[in-house]
Amino acid sequence: MTLAKKITTAAALAAALLAGTAPKAAAQCPYTVGPLGRYIAPAIVQGMTATDDGAVEVWCSDALDGDDWYFLADAETDLRIYDRVDLVVDANGTPEDFSDDKVIDALYCHGCTED
């Protein structure tokens, strides 16, 4: 089994960034929302910006449909630009409306090998 690392998003700041952080509702989303109201979206980290309060805003591009996702990570994250990540996305109670979805976690691994 490989060692997976996870980023815990800063919920308070993420709430301020929710507007415009999910793919557009008009676009057909390639994901099926599971019974817990979440889905996994593979993505690639495109950019990272430090915030004034010590967090890091991460910008990812969806690997399947190219939509942009933004979330906050702790300043101590070892996530890097061009890392492949699996975003855990909350459908926010509206599985048919992807415009209000938000990233609640990101899973990734450095130095993982196929066993």
Side-chain angles (χ1 to χ4, degrees), residues 12-93:
L13 292 174
L17 297 172
L18 285 179
T21 61
K24 295 174 180 63
Q28 180 65 31
C29 184
Y31 306 108
T32 301
V33 177
L36 298 177
R38 293 173 172 78
Y39 57 93
I40 303 296
I44 299 170
V45 176
Q46 299 294 330
M48 299 172 73
T49 305
T51 64
D52 291 337
D53 60 350
V56 176
E57 183 180 66
V58 181
W59 162 43
C60 292
S61 180
D62 191 301
L64 294 183
D65 62 11
D67 284 329
D68 291 336
W69 291 96
Y70 296 90
F71 62 92
L72 294 175
D74 295 330
E76 296 84 30
T77 185
D78 62 345
L79 191 60
R80 301 179 292 236
I81 295 176
Y82 303 122
D83 275 351
R84 293 183 176 272
V85 296
D86 287 320
L87 302 176
V88 179
V89 182
D90 185 346
N92 208 18

